[in-house]
Amino acid sequence: MLSALLDCRVRAAKPSSKVSRMARQTRLVLWTAALGIFLFILLRLFGQQPHQATLSSSLVFQNKEDVSSTDEKTQEIHIAAIVCGNRTTLGLTMMKSALIMCSDFIRFTLFVDNETSGVLNETIQLWPDNILKRMSLDMRPVSYPEDNTDEWKTLFKPCASVKLFLPSLLKEVDSVLYVDVDTVFLSPPLHIWQHLGKMNHTQLVALGPEMQDHTKGWYNKYASHPYYGKFAINSGVILMNLTKMRKFGWEKYVVRVNEQYKNRIVWRDQDIINIIFHFHPEKLYVYPCNYNYIPVHCSITSLCQEAEQQGIYILHGYYNAFINDHLPALKAIYTSMQQVPFLWR
């Protein structure tokens, strides 16, 4: 499988020496990431077991009302995701990667439809007890604003608009890390969670950049609406201070922007977020591209210097990059994480 990492290009016929050099650098980054996963799994299987939080009850729930009190934990990370339609396997792999990569307690909130809820619950119940003791699961039905419900349901992809309304859907939550289900953690989630403490008093959301290239960037070439910065931001990995977002009136901006630009936006939920931060850039914290490493960062040349220097922290396989064969390296990393079992203790 690691041999697949020898080619991270979509099309690169007769590349220039500079392009070839950058492509080699990109392949090296992804090969190193895959090797790191392999060594990390070996360490978990045969090495010292990680510290685990002590809890007083079972932590797999169907509904939030079922949540029982737990002992105090030194560190808790809250991850939210949307799992609809045929994306159950992606969601399970995302959760598995987060748990494999850290020993902190993780509180998962999943917004699900009828098709996925039963499969998720049945599968997770079979995970080992030592894994279940390090997590909680709160599954909630997907829901939309009462006004224009049908429009929000079909915004871009099924359930995609739910992420825009997390401040009201998670009223009791202060902060959350939202991730698209086609993401894989290649480092402890704590790495990105710690950016909450780096945000200043005005910043309410943290996001990573889209493709940072004048010649290949989609937004700077094709967008007919405002967007953040020179190249825009990607909405696949969002660190949210929900308390600040509620005070800002986030969802009112979402509705107004959609009304004003609905005939000009293509990537819908991501475009709405970009438009908001175009007009309120002081509200956004931008973390490096290796916290949301997307396929365009390595399709032909390397466009994420931080990944070359520090490695990839979160891999985001949008455009079905984990499923199709356009970027074998990304598919190999995802498949490795999907197939590795919870074997230790």
Side-chain angles (χ1 to χ4, degrees):
M1 184 172 293
L2 291 180
S3 63
L5 302 181
L6 296 178
D7 188 3
C8 181
R9 296 166 294 174
V10 179
R11 293 184 298 271
K14 298 182 179 180
S16 66
S17 59
K18 181 178 180 180
V19 170
S20 297
R21 183 171 63 254
M22 297 181 73
R24 287 194 298 270
Q25 291 173 342
T26 301
R27 293 195 295 273
L28 178 61
V29 170
L30 291 165
W31 186 91
T32 303
L35 180 60
I37 292 175
F38 177 72
L39 294 175
F40 187 90
I41 291 170
L42 285 181
L43 179 63
R44 285 286 187 133
L45 290 175
F46 304 111
Q48 183 178 1
Q49 303 300 327
H51 169 75
Q52 297 173 357
T54 302
L55 305 175
S56 60
S57 62
S58 175
L59 287 166
V60 179
F61 318 116
Q62 185 80 27
N63 302 299
K64 63 179 179 180
E65 289 80 11
D66 297 332
V67 178
S68 303
S69 61
T70 63
D71 295 341
E72 183 177 357
K73 297 170 282 294
T74 57
Q75 183 67 50
E76 178 176 297
I77 298 167
H78 193 161
I79 296 176
I82 305 163
V83 189
C84 289
N86 61 353
R87 299 172 74 79
T88 306
T89 301
L90 287 167
L92 289 167
T93 305
M94 178 276 293
M95 295 174 66
K96 181 193 289 187
S97 70
L99 290 162
I100 284 176
M101 288 295 163
C102 79
S103 58
D104 297 302
F105 185 89
I106 302 179
R107 186 173 296 277
F108 291 101
T109 298
L110 303 182
F111 293 89
V112 300
D113 57 14
N114 293 332
E115 183 178 345
T116 59
S117 59
V119 177
L120 284 169
N121 200 50
E122 291 173 6
T123 303
I124 293 170
Q125 290 277 10
L126 298 176
W127 288 356
D129 287 342
N130 68 296
I131 297 298
L132 299 181
K133 288 179 179 179
R134 293 198 286 110
M135 62 169 281
S136 70
L137 174 61
D138 175 5
M139 287 197 292
R140 309 186 184 194
V142 293
S143 59
Y144 308 90
E146 294 181 0
D147 295 335
N148 299 321
T149 297
D150 292 338
E151 179 180 349
W152 291 113
K153 280 184 178 180
T154 58
L155 188 82
F156 192 45
K157 295 180 179 179
C159 308
S161 67
V162 173
K163 72 173 76 170
L164 299 173
F165 300 100
L166 291 183
S168 62
L169 293 173
L170 298 174
K171 292 180 180 178
E172 76 284 6
V173 177
D174 175 70
S175 298
V176 71
L177 172 62
Y178 167 84
V179 295
D180 285 350
V181 290
D182 53 357
T183 53
V184 170
F185 288 87
L186 302 183
S187 69
L190 183 61
H191 285 174
I192 189 169
W193 188 256
Q194 289 175 333
H195 281 272
L196 281 169
K198 300 178 182 180
M199 295 164 63
N200 64 34
H201 70 282
T202 63
Q203 293 166 333
L204 45 89
V205 167
L207 288 159
E210 262 286 335
M211 178 187 287
Q212 302 175 84
D213 187 280
H214 284 288
T215 62
K216 302 181 182 66
W218 189 91
Y219 280 88
N220 60 287
K221 292 179 67 175
Y222 304 112
S224 61
H225 58 78
Y227 54 88
Y228 177 82
K230 294 182 179 180
F231 303 108
I233 45 178
N234 182 275
S235 63
V237 179
I238 315 175
L239 193 58
M240 301 178 171
N241 186 312
L242 298 175
T243 300
K244 290 182 180 179
M245 294 174 75
R246 287 186 283 264
K247 292 179 180 179
F248 174 67
W250 171 263
E251 294 178 19
K252 293 180 180 178
Y253 281 96
V254 167
V255 172
R256 288 204 297 264
V257 166
N258 183 59
E259 283 296 321
Q260 182 174 352
Y261 293 96
K262 65 171 60 178
N263 295 323
R264 297 166 58 185
I265 56 179
V266 176
W267 308 115
R268 312 299 286 181
D269 54 301
Q270 179 167 292
D271 292 346
I272 290 172
I273 292 172
N274 265 280
I275 293 169
I276 291 175
F277 289 119
H278 170 85
F279 293 107
H280 299 277
E282 75 284 356
K283 301 294 183 182
L284 180 65
Y285 175 100
V286 181
Y287 40 65
C289 50
N290 55 341
Y291 284 93
N292 182 12
Y293 191 89
I294 53 181
V296 292
H297 287 152
C298 77
S299 58
I300 297 178
T301 62
S302 176
L303 296 174
C304 182
Q305 186 176 3
E306 289 84 357
E308 295 181 17
Q309 297 172 346
Q310 304 165 12
I312 300 169
Y313 291 162
I314 300 178
L315 182 62
H316 181 191
Y318 69 8
Y319 297 147
N320 293 321
F322 291 154
I323 300 172
N324 61 42
D325 295 318
H326 293 165
L327 293 171
L330 304 193
K331 183 177 181 179
I333 293 172
Y334 168 78
T335 304
S336 297
M337 189 64 71
Q338 177 191 356
Q339 294 178 352
V340 64
F342 287 124
L343 292 180
W344 51 93
R345 203 153 79 184

